[in-house]
Amino acid sequence: MRYGRRTPLLERLLEAISVVLAGRPGARLAGLLPVPVSRTTILRLLMRLPDPSTRTPRVLGIDEFALKRGHVYGRLRDR
């Protein structure tokens, strides 16, 4: 269906499928449901979603930090 429209509920369902399965597997699952969509549609829905928020790490350990020739190299790891 060209220029098809989706209800908000169907849109959330397809977004959830895209987060869990992404491309071809997501399109296959949607095809088993009465909602056939292409893998590019599933990927487009996935790319449109905002990135999940990240937390600031509470602890930075000594083994995750190093100095070398005036440059600071570090790796933050949430514990």
Side-chain angles (χ1 to χ4, degrees):
M1 167 186 348
R2 196 168 186 192
Y3 304 111
R5 298 177 189 267
R6 296 186 193 102
T7 64
L9 180 63
L10 179 59
E11 191 79 17
R12 287 196 312 265
L13 173 70
L14 290 174
E15 287 172 353
I17 289 173
S18 71
V19 168
V20 175
L21 296 174
R24 282 193 184 132
R28 273 184 290 206
L29 177 62
L32 293 176
L33 302 172
V35 190
V37 292
S38 69
R39 64 187 170 107
T40 55
T41 300
I42 294 287
L43 291 174
R44 191 176 326 110
L45 288 171
L46 179 62
M47 303 260 293
R48 191 173 67 186
L49 292 174
D51 291 335
S53 61
T54 57
R55 297 183 327 170
T56 304
R58 295 182 325 168
V59 178
L60 180 63
I62 191 72
D63 60 334
E64 298 159 355
F65 191 81
L67 296 174
K68 182 178 178 183
R69 292 188 186 186
H71 296 282
V72 177
Y73 300 94
R75 182 184 77 188
L76 298 176
R77 187 172 77 200
D78 192 18
R79 290 185 183 183

